[in-house]
Amino acid sequence: MGKRILAQRKGRGSIFEAKTHKCIAPSRLPDIFEPTTATVVEIMHNPGRGTPLAKFVTEDGQVFYLHAVEGLYVGKKIRLYEVDEPSPGDIMKLKDIPPGTLISHVERTPGDGGKFARASGTYAQVIGPSADGIEVRLPSGKMTILNPECRAVIGVIAGGGRVEKPFLKAGKKYHWMKAKAGKRWPHVRGVAMNPVDHPHGGGRHQHLGYPETVPKNAPPGAKVGSFGARRTGRRKR
């Protein structure tokens, strides 16, 4: 009889569900828009997240969490808005950040909590004001124009070089992938399976034998390979 292929089983949930019960808290800029200060009370590891998580407490007792930046430590005080000399961890509006400053946790629209430069070791850079807003270089190298009222955190996200350390053995990779949200590991190639297990399976050797492009509106059972690809890398001689 065979069984449903991986693409179909992913829609059912079970082992592919996110392990949200392990998460400590969401990381986003606080809904505080008045000048104040906050203190770093703890820096912790959040399962499923590759960046250290810093816990802040404001003067009036409000608690919020952000990705830790390089230079943060327990007991350090950060400032929200009205900052004369920016230091790592300070939260400022883009219009008040000097050009050339490295920033992270950048908002796409004012008040959304931060969307850009959140991965470990990443950062954006303020280029300067333009006619339509503030020009910012994103981690990808792309230039974008953002609202001057958007907020950002001063500094580079901590945890840089995380992907450079090898896993060394399959067991370490297995447990790391198990903590990720809905990831399946190890990955088995479709051509290595039997015909009942995958549309690419079967044959006298591990070779597909026909184009792997499928339409974008293909059903889950057939949507394997290159989805609506204009080209696959194969050229006619």
Side-chain angles (χ1 to χ4, degrees), residues 49-194:
R49 191 190 299 274
T51 309
L53 198 63
K55 180 180 180 180
F56 296 87
V57 178
T58 62
E59 293 177 341
D60 56 357
Q62 297 189 53
V63 179
F64 63 94
Y65 297 81
L66 286 174
H67 291 146
V69 297
E70 295 179 358
L72 275 190
Y73 54 87
V74 175
K76 177 179 173 63
K77 283 194 174 183
I78 66 165
R79 293 160 293 179
L80 283 73
Y81 322 118
E82 293 188 1
V83 179
D84 296 329
E85 296 183 2
S87 66
D90 290 342
I91 300 175
M92 301 176 62
K93 294 182 178 180
L94 291 180
K95 65 181 181 181
D96 300 325
I97 300 177
T101 304
L102 302 183
I103 58 177
S104 57
H105 237 294
V106 188
E107 291 184 326
R108 185 195 302 268
T109 56
D112 65 12
K115 301 296 183 183
F116 300 121
R118 294 165 56 95
S120 57
T122 59
Y123 59 87
Q125 186 175 24
V126 177
I127 303 302
S130 66
D132 300 323
I134 304 296
E135 189 173 9
V136 176
R137 180 186 289 114
L138 300 179
S140 63
K142 179 182 177 180
M143 309 294 288
T144 187
I145 305 295
L146 299 175
N147 191 317
E149 295 295 322
C150 289
R151 300 172 295 170
V153 177
I154 305 298
V156 180
I157 297 290
R162 173 180 56 84
V163 297
E164 298 173 5
K165 179 181 178 181
F167 284 99
L168 299 180
K169 60 182 184 178
K172 296 279 288 185
K173 182 69 176 288
Y174 171 79
H175 291 294
W176 184 79
M177 292 298 291
K178 192 174 182 180
K180 302 293 284 184
K183 299 294 183 180
R184 176 78 179 213
W185 193 87
H187 301 290
V188 181
R189 294 166 298 135
V191 293
M193 300 181 187
N194 292 321

Side-chain angles (χ1 to χ4, degrees), residues 198-211:
H198 197 276
H200 292 174
R204 293 186 178 271
H205 58 278
Q206 294 181 8
H207 174 62
L208 188 53
Y210 56 89

